[in-house]
Amino acid sequence: MREEPAAHPLHADTLAVHTALARSQYGENSEALYLSSGFVQPDAATAARRFGGEEEGYTYGRLGNPTVTSMEMRLAALEGTEAAVATSTGMSSILLMCMGLLKAGDHVICSHSMFGSTLKLIGGEFAKFGVQSSFVSQTEIAQWKAALRPNTRLLFAETPTNPLTEVCDIRALADVAHGAGALLAVDNCFCTPALQQPVKFGADLIVHSGTKYLDGQGRVMAGAVCASRSLIDEKLLPVMRSAGMTLSPFNAWVVLKGLETLGIRMQAQSQGALELASWLETRPEVARVYYPGLASHPQHALAMAQQSGKGGAVLSFELRASDAQQSRERAFRLLDSTQTILLCTNLGDVKSLMSHPASTSHGRLSDEQRQVAGIGQGLVRLAVGLEHVADLQADLARGLAAL
C-alpha cells in the first residue's frame, strides 16, 4: 500500500521531518519500525478483498509494509511527485523501471556517461530480451534527437553524472522525449531533491540509490522510483508484486531517518566540495577538476539553475601524468597515502570517500567504453563528507605530495 503525501504548503525541510503515515495508537514520536513479513487479517472476506486489490490494507511484506510506505511518502513529498515505490537497491530501482516500461522491440536512449552498472544493465542485460539501446553524449541535445526511433519509449539521464559530473538540460530532454511520445527518467542520486527536483523541469520518473545521500551514513542498501500515481500503479507495482525488488522495513526506517537531515547535509557537503574543488584547481599535480560548482565547469550556469545554486558533494579530478600507466600508478599512490579520506567506492556518507573509477565502478566496461565516457586511469573521484575542510585539504596535500 503506497499512499500519496498530503498536499501542504510546507518547506521541504519540514516535509522531510514530518511526512509519514499517521501515528499508531501508541503515539510514537519516531516513526514505528514494523518488522513483520505478514499481516493478520480480520476475516477471510477482508483478506480476499485486500489480496484482490479491492481494498487497501497490508497483507504480505513483499507487497507492502507501513514503514516502507512512510519512506515512500516522504521521498515523494520531497521530489514533488504523486507517489514513489521503494526498492532493495538503487540498481533494482532502475531494473524495476525498465521492466515496467519496456518490452522486446522497444528502444531506450541513455547518456554514455552514466554509472557503469547502469550501462551494463541496459546495454547488456536488457539486450538479451530484445530491448534496443543507444548511448549518446550527455550534453549534446542534437545527439539525443538524432538517436530517436519510432520505437523509442524512454530517455534516461543521470545528472550530474558519475564520476565526471556532466550536467544535462532536463527541460530540453523532456521536450525531446515528449515530442517523440516517450518518457524521460532522471537519476537524481548526486543532487537528491534537496538540491534538484527533476519533475519541475518536465521529467516523468526519478530514480534513486537511497544507499547514498538519502541514508547519508553508509548504513544500508536502498532504492526508489518517484513518478505519477498512474505510472507507479499501472506500470511499476505489477512488476514489483511479481519480481519482489522489495525494500526491507529496517532499511526503509534507516532511510526515513536519514531524510530528516538531508537538507542540512547537502548544504554543508556542497560547501565543502566547492572549497576543495577550488583548492584542487590551484595544485600543480592536478590537470583538471570536474565539479559543477566551479565556473570552469562546461555546464556551470545550467547546474546552478537546476541545482539550487549548489554543485553537490561529489567532484573528480585528473592527475597529471605522461601516459596511462603513470596515471594509474599516481592515482593508486594518492589513494594509498591519504589517512582521513577513506578508500571506498560508496558515496553520500558523512565520511569523505575516494575511489579510482577506472578500476572499480567502471572497471567492467571495455577500454573503448571508458574512453568514450572520459574515464581515464588518472581520474580520482572524491565524495566530500562532513569533516572539517581544513583537515580534508591537509590530507589531500599529503597524498599529492607523495606523487
Side-chain angles (χ1 to χ4, degrees), residues 181-206:
L183 299 173
L184 173 64
V186 172
D187 187 325
N188 200 26
C189 179
F190 270 29
C191 278
T192 80
L195 301 184
Q196 176 175 271
Q197 291 179 307
V199 70
K200 289 185 175 180
F201 301 97
D204 301 290
L205 303 102
I206 300 95

Side-chain angles (χ1 to χ4, degrees), residues 310-326:
K310 300 292 181 182
V314 179
L315 62 95
S316 294
F317 56 96
E318 191 84 35
L319 295 171
R320 294 189 186 279
S322 58
D323 54 37
Q325 181 178 348
Q326 188 184 54

Side-chain angles (χ1 to χ4, degrees), residues 71 75 79 85-95 97 114-115 117-118 156-160 162 186-193 205-226 247 251-252 254-256 258-259 262 265-266 314 345-349 381:
M71 178 255 169
L75 181 59
E79 280 289 6
V85 56
T87 63
S88 56
T89 67
M91 288 308 302
S92 71
S93 72
I94 297 173
L95 176 64
M97 177 182 71
M114 298 187 81
F115 179 51
S117 293
T118 303
F156 187 20
E158 174 185 303
T159 185
N162 180 11
V186 172
D187 187 325
N188 200 26
C189 179
F190 270 29
C191 278
T192 80
L205 303 102
I206 300 95
V207 299
H208 277 287
S209 173
T211 310
K212 311 302 191 294
Y213 293 102
L214 303 189
D215 167 21
Q217 296 190 47
R219 299 166 292 193
V220 297
M221 306 291 284
V225 184
C226 303
L247 180 62
N251 288 10
V254 172
V255 174
L256 189 64
L259 289 172
L262 177 63
R265 283 188 285 106
M266 290 304 296
V314 179
T345 57
N346 194 28
L347 58 93
D349 205 310
R381 189 191 71 190

Side-chain angles (χ1 to χ4, degrees), residues 52 127 129 134 142 153 180 246 291 300 311 316 354 374 378 390:
F129 303 99
S134 298
R153 298 291 177 262
T246 311
Y291 182 65
H300 172 69
S316 294
M354 274 201 306

Side-chain angles (χ1 to χ4, degrees), residues 264-317:
I264 57 175
R265 283 188 285 106
M266 290 304 296
Q267 293 293 323
Q269 287 171 270
S270 295
Q271 181 59 38
L274 176 59
E275 293 183 37
L276 288 175
S278 300
W279 175 77
L280 283 166
E281 277 198 315
T282 69
R283 296 290 304 197
E285 305 92 343
V286 176
R288 182 176 178 182
V289 180
Y290 302 88
Y291 182 65
L294 294 174
S296 59
H297 192 282
Q299 297 94 44
H300 172 69
L302 175 62
M304 294 301 96
Q306 289 184 169
Q307 301 173 195
S308 306
K310 300 292 181 182
V314 179
L315 62 95
S316 294
F317 56 96

